[in-house]
Amino acid sequence: MSLAFDEYGRPFLLVKEQANKERVSGVEAQKVNILAALGVANVLKTSLGPRGMDKILTTSDNEVVVTNDGATILDLMDIDNEIGQLMVELSKSQDSEIGDGTTGVVCFAGALLEQATGLLDKGIHSTRISEGFEKACEMACSRLEEIADTIAVQGGDILLQTARSTLNSKVVNRDRDHLAQICVDAIMSVADLARKDVNMDLIKVEGKVGGRLEDTCLVNGIVLDKDFSHPQMPKSLKNPKMAILTCAFEPPKPKTKHTLQITSAEHMKELHEQEQEYFRKQVQQVKDSGADLVICQWGFDDEANYLLYRSELPAVRWVGGVELEMIAIATGGRIVPRFEELSSDKLGTCGIVREVGFGTTKDRMIFVEDCPHSNAVTLFIRGGNKMMIEEAKRSLHDALCMVRNLIRDNRIVYGGGSAELAASCAVHAKADAVTSVDRYAIRAFGDALESIPINLALNSGLDPIRALSDARKAQLEGKNPYAGIDCMDRGTIDMKEQRVFETLSGKCSQLRLATQVVKMILKVDDVIITKPDQEQQQ
């Protein structure tokens, strides 16, 4: 679709394949947009909660991905509709801001749009619906702040329980206790508790196929998916001084076009000797600086590799730029772009550098540990196949982000749908005091909040009506704002007793982001749709 102007300057629309397209405006267009968004939201409903279903997807490279992470599912789905893309962006925004809750935010946005459809049928204008939703969102967030508990971050027990709650709905939940402890230890290693900040760039996640998920460990240093350039170089170095180079071990190349004619064996020998002299000079410059280990961003050929081995100078080649920066920060070294600039004060140091092999395979990795200038850590994941490792990376990322959020804001609410039910009861109570048309939208927002516990009960195989009624009764009559859905059959609906935690910042972010996206969708009242094929209809 494009905009054009006639000879009088009046605009008109040009639509590609106009015979097969139809322009819809007003309430009908809003309903078309809502239907497109609901199609995306309904895909994720069955993945919500600790007993939610996993989705199996195929990438463009024919790789199979099995996951229940909302952001990953939507990212791999082929969605052409613009409104559907808004739901994808909603999930990405939640993932970027909070790190978890990507499935719940899309499901809640879908529930809001379902309620908006009924309000549009009653003749309420979309602007009034949006205003009512926004007022109700602030009411719900205020209620969540009232029932939130403030925790002590230093102890670590609440952090561990929050990480366990996050991993409870993931594929790796069978080993959630071990993985949750790793996540808490990683965050506490790089956290600045005085400033309430966490530098996530200092946490590197690396995986290697082989072993079991239980073999996943936390390395106090940096793990490189590399090996020493020569198989006879030493496999372990204690307190090495390392030169971090972005210059390659090779002769300099002229910048202009040139032609070299070799007419005799003496010329070839002379050229070889000159090349050897370049390599010897470069290796000697590294040795003169006092370096015991070379970490190079670029590769070098067998000639240079052999000279490094003969000079008893272990080397690692083809190290990525990000990893090179992390090593420089952690070891206190400087990244050197030229051999002439290399000196002893630019060398980094650490406790130990060792090469680790895995079983009978040729897979090897290098561990740079006990770095003095940084608390950088690496989560080293093991798994039976690449698919399991990738899903473990996504799961641990969510758990890391939730623990980080608690460091920044140490207020929690309780899961299992209890927070949504408490907010829903508060919104319904305050809606009665509103005398304008906004009352209907506020009540609809409260009804949409109940969709989360309903879906949790459905995915857990419970009777959703009975489970929701029991939880609501406990909240209203028992004055227990922590009553939710007993998804794991623990025998109690009190989520505080079950120790199921969520961060307050994450929950409020879900409500606000979903409300903003729904407002955007309701504002679109002009859309072009494809007409259904008459032969297919018949």
Side-chain angles (χ1 to χ4, degrees), residues 198-226:
V198 178
N199 187 359
M200 294 289 285
D201 294 333
L202 295 178
I203 301 177
K204 187 171 182 282
V205 181
E206 193 68 58
K208 177 63 72 173
V209 175
R212 301 178 301 168
L213 188 63
E214 291 82 358
D215 298 332
T216 299
C217 62
L218 181 67
V219 179
N220 292 318
I222 299 165
V223 178
L224 304 176
D225 193 6
K226 305 290 177 184

PDB file of all heavy atoms in Angstrom, residues 198-226:
ATOM      1  N   VAL A 198      23.717  -4.789  38.892  1.00  0.00           N
ATOM      2  CA  VAL A 198      24.373  -6.023  38.467  1.00  0.00           C
ATOM      3  C   VAL A 198      24.867  -5.827  37.045  1.00  0.00           C
ATOM      4  O   VAL A 198      24.094  -5.440  36.166  1.00  0.00           O
ATOM      5  CB  VAL A 198      23.413  -7.230  38.524  1.00  0.00           C
ATOM      6  CG1 VAL A 198      24.109  -8.490  38.024  1.00  0.00           C
ATOM      7  CG2 VAL A 198      22.893  -7.440  39.936  1.00  0.00           C
ATOM      8  N   ASN A 199      26.142  -6.078  36.816  1.00  0.00           N
ATOM      9  CA  ASN A 199      26.715  -5.989  35.473  1.00  0.00           C
ATOM     10  C   ASN A 199      26.598  -7.357  34.805  1.00  0.00           C
ATOM     11  O   ASN A 199      27.443  -8.236  35.000  1.00  0.00           O
ATOM     12  CB  ASN A 199      28.173  -5.538  35.555  1.00  0.00           C
ATOM     13  CG  ASN A 199      28.769  -5.257  34.185  1.00  0.00           C
ATOM     14  OD1 ASN A 199      28.092  -5.423  33.165  1.00  0.00           O
ATOM     15  ND2 ASN A 199      30.011  -4.843  34.149  1.00  0.00           N
ATOM     16  N   MET A 200      25.542  -7.526  34.007  1.00  0.00           N
ATOM     17  CA  MET A 200      25.290  -8.820  33.368  1.00  0.00           C
ATOM     18  C   MET A 200      26.333  -9.148  32.302  1.00  0.00           C
ATOM     19  O   MET A 200      26.463 -10.300  31.892  1.00  0.00           O
ATOM     20  CB  MET A 200      23.898  -8.823  32.739  1.00  0.00           C
ATOM     21  CG  MET A 200      22.764  -8.727  33.733  1.00  0.00           C
ATOM     22  SD  MET A 200      22.544 -10.228  34.708  1.00  0.00           S
ATOM     23  CE  MET A 200      21.784 -11.303  33.501  1.00  0.00           C
ATOM     24  N   ASP A 201      27.078  -8.140  31.845  1.00  0.00           N
ATOM     25  CA  ASP A 201      28.111  -8.391  30.844  1.00  0.00           C
ATOM     26  C   ASP A 201      29.256  -9.231  31.399  1.00  0.00           C
ATOM     27  O   ASP A 201      30.031  -9.816  30.630  1.00  0.00           O
ATOM     28  CB  ASP A 201      28.675  -7.070  30.308  1.00  0.00           C
ATOM     29  CG  ASP A 201      27.646  -6.281  29.525  1.00  0.00           C
ATOM     30  OD1 ASP A 201      26.729  -6.916  28.967  1.00  0.00           O
ATOM     31  OD2 ASP A 201      27.750  -5.041  29.452  1.00  0.00           O
ATOM     32  N   LEU A 202      29.378  -9.283  32.726  1.00  0.00           N
ATOM     33  CA  LEU A 202      30.437 -10.072  33.341  1.00  0.00           C
ATOM     34  C   LEU A 202      30.046 -11.536  33.520  1.00  0.00           C
ATOM     35  O   LEU A 202      30.842 -12.321  34.034  1.00  0.00           O
ATOM     36  CB  LEU A 202      30.816  -9.479  34.705  1.00  0.00           C
ATOM     37  CG  LEU A 202      31.444  -8.082  34.673  1.00  0.00           C
ATOM     38  CD1 LEU A 202      31.711  -7.594  36.087  1.00  0.00           C
ATOM     39  CD2 LEU A 202      32.722  -8.082  33.856  1.00  0.00           C
ATOM     40  N   ILE A 203      28.823 -11.890  33.130  1.00  0.00           N
ATOM     41  CA  ILE A 203      28.374 -13.284  33.215  1.00  0.00           C
ATOM     42  C   ILE A 203      28.315 -13.852  31.801  1.00  0.00           C
ATOM     43  O   ILE A 203      27.533 -13.393  30.979  1.00  0.00           O
ATOM     44  CB  ILE A 203      26.999 -13.391  33.901  1.00  0.00           C
ATOM     45  CG1 ILE A 203      27.057 -12.821  35.307  1.00  0.00           C
ATOM     46  CG2 ILE A 203      26.543 -14.845  33.940  1.00  0.00           C
ATOM     47  CD1 ILE A 203      25.722 -12.821  36.024  1.00  0.00           C
ATOM     48  N   LYS A 204      29.154 -14.820  31.545  1.00  0.00           N
ATOM     49  CA  LYS A 204      29.215 -15.452  30.226  1.00  0.00           C
ATOM     50  C   LYS A 204      28.578 -16.834  30.321  1.00  0.00           C
ATOM     51  O   LYS A 204      28.818 -17.569  31.285  1.00  0.00           O
ATOM     52  CB  LYS A 204      30.671 -15.560  29.772  1.00  0.00           C
ATOM     53  CG  LYS A 204      30.870 -16.044  28.345  1.00  0.00           C
ATOM     54  CD  LYS A 204      32.342 -15.886  27.966  1.00  0.00           C
ATOM     55  CE  LYS A 204      32.581 -16.325  26.525  1.00  0.00           C
ATOM     56  NZ  LYS A 204      32.631 -17.792  26.390  1.00  0.00           N
ATOM     57  N   VAL A 205      27.759 -17.179  29.345  1.00  0.00           N
ATOM     58  CA  VAL A 205      27.105 -18.488  29.320  1.00  0.00           C
ATOM     59  C   VAL A 205      27.693 -19.277  28.158  1.00  0.00           C
ATOM     60  O   VAL A 205      27.629 -18.850  27.003  1.00  0.00           O
ATOM     61  CB  VAL A 205      25.576 -18.348  29.171  1.00  0.00           C
ATOM     62  CG1 VAL A 205      24.928 -19.727  29.176  1.00  0.00           C
ATOM     63  CG2 VAL A 205      25.004 -17.491  30.287  1.00  0.00           C
ATOM     64  N   GLU A 206      28.271 -20.418  28.480  1.00  0.00           N
ATOM     65  CA  GLU A 206      28.918 -21.260  27.466  1.00  0.00           C
ATOM     66  C   GLU A 206      28.392 -22.676  27.618  1.00  0.00           C
ATOM     67  O   GLU A 206      28.079 -23.121  28.732  1.00  0.00           O
ATOM     68  CB  GLU A 206      30.431 -21.226  27.650  1.00  0.00           C
ATOM     69  CG  GLU A 206      31.230 -21.786  26.491  1.00  0.00           C
ATOM     70  CD  GLU A 206      31.131 -20.931  25.249  1.00  0.00           C
ATOM     71  OE1 GLU A 206      31.476 -19.747  25.301  1.00  0.00           O
ATOM     72  OE2 GLU A 206      30.670 -21.470  24.214  1.00  0.00           O
ATOM     73  N   GLY A 207      28.265 -23.393  26.525  1.00  0.00           N
ATOM     74  CA  GLY A 207      27.757 -24.761  26.562  1.00  0.00           C
ATOM     75  C   GLY A 207      28.607 -25.686  25.716  1.00  0.00           C
ATOM     76  O   GLY A 207      29.251 -25.266  24.753  1.00  0.00           O
ATOM     77  N   LYS A 208      28.614 -26.955  26.070  1.00  0.00           N
ATOM     78  CA  LYS A 208      29.345 -27.970  25.319  1.00  0.00           C
ATOM     79  C   LYS A 208      28.536 -29.262  25.340  1.00  0.00           C
ATOM     80  O   LYS A 208      28.122 -29.738  26.399  1.00  0.00           O
ATOM     81  CB  LYS A 208      30.727 -28.191  25.926  1.00  0.00           C
ATOM     82  CG  LYS A 208      31.550 -29.268  25.262  1.00  0.00           C
ATOM     83  CD  LYS A 208      31.864 -28.931  23.798  1.00  0.00           C
ATOM     84  CE  LYS A 208      32.861 -27.827  23.681  1.00  0.00           C
ATOM     85  NZ  LYS A 208      33.288 -27.607  22.282  1.00  0.00           N
ATOM     86  N   VAL A 209      28.303 -29.809  24.151  1.00  0.00           N
ATOM     87  CA  VAL A 209      27.527 -31.042  24.033  1.00  0.00           C
ATOM     88  C   VAL A 209      28.307 -32.179  24.673  1.00  0.00           C
ATOM     89  O   VAL A 209      29.520 -32.322  24.471  1.00  0.00           O
ATOM     90  CB  VAL A 209      27.225 -31.346  22.555  1.00  0.00           C
ATOM     91  CG1 VAL A 209      26.531 -32.690  22.420  1.00  0.00           C
ATOM     92  CG2 VAL A 209      26.377 -30.242  21.954  1.00  0.00           C
ATOM     93  N   GLY A 210      27.603 -32.992  25.420  1.00  0.00           N
ATOM     94  CA  GLY A 210      28.234 -34.103  26.127  1.00  0.00           C
ATOM     95  C   GLY A 210      27.963 -33.999  27.611  1.00  0.00           C
ATOM     96  O   GLY A 210      27.711 -32.920  28.143  1.00  0.00           O
ATOM     97  N   GLY A 211      28.013 -35.130  28.306  1.00  0.00           N
ATOM     98  CA  GLY A 211      27.757 -35.107  29.731  1.00  0.00           C
ATOM     99  C   GLY A 211      26.267 -34.988  30.028  1.00  0.00           C
ATOM    100  O   GLY A 211      25.411 -35.142  29.162  1.00  0.00           O
ATOM    101  N   ARG A 212      25.972 -34.687  31.278  1.00  0.00           N
ATOM    102  CA  ARG A 212      24.586 -34.562  31.718  1.00  0.00           C
ATOM    103  C   ARG A 212      24.322 -33.141  32.183  1.00  0.00           C
ATOM    104  O   ARG A 212      25.255 -32.380  32.471  1.00  0.00           O
ATOM    105  CB  ARG A 212      24.306 -35.548  32.858  1.00  0.00           C
ATOM    106  CG  ARG A 212      24.539 -37.011  32.507  1.00  0.00           C
ATOM    107  CD  ARG A 212      24.273 -37.887  33.714  1.00  0.00           C
ATOM    108  NE  ARG A 212      25.147 -37.521  34.835  1.00  0.00           N
ATOM    109  CZ  ARG A 212      24.979 -37.960  36.077  1.00  0.00           C
ATOM    110  NH1 ARG A 212      23.966 -38.754  36.368  1.00  0.00           N
ATOM    111  NH2 ARG A 212      25.825 -37.592  37.031  1.00  0.00           N
ATOM    112  N   LEU A 213      23.048 -32.807  32.300  1.00  0.00           N
ATOM    113  CA  LEU A 213      22.670 -31.480  32.772  1.00  0.00           C
ATOM    114  C   LEU A 213      23.169 -31.249  34.196  1.00  0.00           C
ATOM    115  O   LEU A 213      23.488 -30.120  34.577  1.00  0.00           O
ATOM    116  CB  LEU A 213      21.151 -31.321  32.703  1.00  0.00           C
ATOM    117  CG  LEU A 213      20.585 -29.930  32.976  1.00  0.00           C
ATOM    118  CD1 LEU A 213      21.068 -28.944  31.917  1.00  0.00           C
ATOM    119  CD2 LEU A 213      19.064 -29.968  33.003  1.00  0.00           C
ATOM    120  N   GLU A 214      23.259 -32.339  34.983  1.00  0.00           N
ATOM    121  CA  GLU A 214      23.745 -32.212  36.358  1.00  0.00           C
ATOM    122  C   GLU A 214      25.214 -31.789  36.411  1.00  0.00           C
ATOM    123  O   GLU A 214      25.696 -31.334  37.452  1.00  0.00           O
ATOM    124  CB  GLU A 214      23.568 -33.536  37.107  1.00  0.00           C
ATOM    125  CG  GLU A 214      22.123 -33.910  37.396  1.00  0.00           C
ATOM    126  CD  GLU A 214      21.440 -34.564  36.189  1.00  0.00           C
ATOM    127  OE1 GLU A 214      22.087 -34.683  35.128  1.00  0.00           O
ATOM    128  OE2 GLU A 214      20.258 -34.931  36.316  1.00  0.00           O
ATOM    129  N   ASP A 215      25.949 -31.953  35.301  1.00  0.00           N
ATOM    130  CA  ASP A 215      27.362 -31.566  35.272  1.00  0.00           C
ATOM    131  C   ASP A 215      27.562 -30.074  35.043  1.00  0.00           C
ATOM    132  O   ASP A 215      28.705 -29.600  35.009  1.00  0.00           O
ATOM    133  CB  ASP A 215      28.097 -32.346  34.171  1.00  0.00           C
ATOM    134  CG  ASP A 215      28.067 -33.846  34.413  1.00  0.00           C
ATOM    135  OD1 ASP A 215      27.994 -34.245  35.590  1.00  0.00           O
ATOM    136  OD2 ASP A 215      28.079 -34.619  33.433  1.00  0.00           O
ATOM    137  N   THR A 216      26.472 -29.339  34.837  1.00  0.00           N
ATOM    138  CA  THR A 216      26.575 -27.881  34.674  1.00  0.00           C
ATOM    139  C   THR A 216      27.211 -27.270  35.915  1.00  0.00           C
ATOM    140  O   THR A 216      26.875 -27.626  37.043  1.00  0.00           O
ATOM    141  CB  THR A 216      25.176 -27.279  34.443  1.00  0.00           C
ATOM    142  OG1 THR A 216      24.616 -27.838  33.259  1.00  0.00           O
ATOM    143  CG2 THR A 216      25.248 -25.773  34.289  1.00  0.00           C
ATOM    144  N   CYS A 217      28.145 -26.336  35.694  1.00  0.00           N
ATOM    145  CA  CYS A 217      28.877 -25.782  36.829  1.00  0.00           C
ATOM    146  C   CYS A 217      29.134 -24.290  36.607  1.00  0.00           C
ATOM    147  O   CYS A 217      28.940 -23.763  35.503  1.00  0.00           O
ATOM    148  CB  CYS A 217      30.201 -26.514  37.044  1.00  0.00           C
ATOM    149  SG  CYS A 217      31.340 -26.373  35.647  1.00  0.00           S
ATOM    150  N   LEU A 218      29.567 -23.634  37.662  1.00  0.00           N
ATOM    151  CA  LEU A 218      29.925 -22.220  37.621  1.00  0.00           C
ATOM    152  C   LEU A 218      31.441 -22.104  37.700  1.00  0.00           C
ATOM    153  O   LEU A 218      32.057 -22.601  38.637  1.00  0.00           O
ATOM    154  CB  LEU A 218      29.269 -21.467  38.783  1.00  0.00           C
ATOM    155  CG  LEU A 218      29.545 -19.965  38.857  1.00  0.00           C
ATOM    156  CD1 LEU A 218      28.901 -19.243  37.687  1.00  0.00           C
ATOM    157  CD2 LEU A 218      29.041 -19.390  40.172  1.00  0.00           C
ATOM    158  N   VAL A 219      32.014 -21.458  36.709  1.00  0.00           N
ATOM    159  CA  VAL A 219      33.465 -21.285  36.646  1.00  0.00           C
ATOM    160  C   VAL A 219      33.793 -19.851  37.053  1.00  0.00           C
ATOM    161  O   VAL A 219      33.257 -18.898  36.469  1.00  0.00           O
ATOM    162  CB  VAL A 219      33.997 -21.580  35.225  1.00  0.00           C
ATOM    163  CG1 VAL A 219      35.508 -21.371  35.170  1.00  0.00           C
ATOM    164  CG2 VAL A 219      33.632 -22.992  34.800  1.00  0.00           C
ATOM    165  N   ASN A 220      34.660 -19.693  38.029  1.00  0.00           N
ATOM    166  CA  ASN A 220      35.071 -18.357  38.477  1.00  0.00           C
ATOM    167  C   ASN A 220      36.143 -17.811  37.533  1.00  0.00           C
ATOM    168  O   ASN A 220      37.324 -17.716  37.868  1.00  0.00           O
ATOM    169  CB  ASN A 220      35.597 -18.410  39.912  1.00  0.00           C
ATOM    170  CG  ASN A 220      34.508 -18.728  40.902  1.00  0.00           C
ATOM    171  OD1 ASN A 220      33.397 -18.204  40.795  1.00  0.00           O
ATOM    172  ND2 ASN A 220      34.796 -19.596  41.858  1.00  0.00           N
ATOM    173  N   GLY A 221      35.726 -17.478  36.366  1.00  0.00           N
ATOM    174  CA  GLY A 221      36.635 -16.978  35.339  1.00  0.00           C
ATOM    175  C   GLY A 221      35.940 -17.002  33.992  1.00  0.00           C
ATOM    176  O   GLY A 221      34.716 -16.917  33.906  1.00  0.00           O
ATOM    177  N   ILE A 222      36.738 -17.143  32.951  1.00  0.00           N
ATOM    178  CA  ILE A 222      36.220 -17.080  31.583  1.00  0.00           C
ATOM    179  C   ILE A 222      36.543 -18.392  30.883  1.00  0.00           C
ATOM    180  O   ILE A 222      37.668 -18.912  30.999  1.00  0.00           O
ATOM    181  CB  ILE A 222      36.849 -15.888  30.832  1.00  0.00           C
ATOM    182  CG1 ILE A 222      36.489 -14.583  31.549  1.00  0.00           C
ATOM    183  CG2 ILE A 222      36.380 -15.834  29.385  1.00  0.00           C
ATOM    184  CD1 ILE A 222      37.324 -13.408  31.131  1.00  0.00           C
ATOM    185  N   VAL A 223      35.570 -18.916  30.154  1.00  0.00           N
ATOM    186  CA  VAL A 223      35.740 -20.155  29.404  1.00  0.00           C
ATOM    187  C   VAL A 223      35.773 -19.826  27.918  1.00  0.00           C
ATOM    188  O   VAL A 223      34.878 -19.144  27.405  1.00  0.00           O
ATOM    189  CB  VAL A 223      34.608 -21.156  29.710  1.00  0.00           C
ATOM    190  CG1 VAL A 223      34.772 -22.419  28.874  1.00  0.00           C
ATOM    191  CG2 VAL A 223      34.595 -21.506  31.194  1.00  0.00           C
ATOM    192  N   LEU A 224      36.809 -20.296  27.243  1.00  0.00           N
ATOM    193  CA  LEU A 224      36.954 -20.088  25.798  1.00  0.00           C
ATOM    194  C   LEU A 224      36.756 -21.410  25.081  1.00  0.00           C
ATOM    195  O   LEU A 224      37.352 -22.435  25.461  1.00  0.00           O
ATOM    196  CB  LEU A 224      38.343 -19.535  25.465  1.00  0.00           C
ATOM    197  CG  LEU A 224      38.772 -18.236  26.150  1.00  0.00           C
ATOM    198  CD1 LEU A 224      40.203 -17.890  25.776  1.00  0.00           C
ATOM    199  CD2 LEU A 224      37.844 -17.101  25.776  1.00  0.00           C
ATOM    200  N   ASP A 225      35.940 -21.389  24.046  1.00  0.00           N
ATOM    201  CA  ASP A 225      35.728 -22.596  23.247  1.00  0.00           C
ATOM    202  C   ASP A 225      36.862 -22.736  22.233  1.00  0.00           C
ATOM    203  O   ASP A 225      36.650 -22.762  21.016  1.00  0.00           O
ATOM    204  CB  ASP A 225      34.373 -22.515  22.547  1.00  0.00           C
ATOM    205  CG  ASP A 225      33.943 -23.858  21.962  1.00  0.00           C
ATOM    206  OD1 ASP A 225      34.654 -24.859  22.213  1.00  0.00           O
ATOM    207  OD2 ASP A 225      32.934 -23.905  21.241  1.00  0.00           O
ATOM    208  N   LYS A 226      38.074 -22.800  22.750  1.00  0.00           N
ATOM    209  CA  LYS A 226      39.289 -22.901  21.934  1.00  0.00           C
ATOM    210  C   LYS A 226      40.223 -23.910  22.585  1.00  0.00           C
ATOM    211  O   LYS A 226      39.966 -24.421  23.677  1.00  0.00           O
ATOM    212  CB  LYS A 226      40.003 -21.538  21.836  1.00  0.00           C
ATOM    213  CG  LYS A 226      39.131 -20.393  21.332  1.00  0.00           C
ATOM    214  CD  LYS A 226      38.793 -20.545  19.871  1.00  0.00           C
ATOM    215  CE  LYS A 226      37.854 -19.428  19.413  1.00  0.00           C
ATOM    216  NZ  LYS A 226      37.430 -19.621  18.011  1.00  0.00           N
TER     217      LYS A 226
END
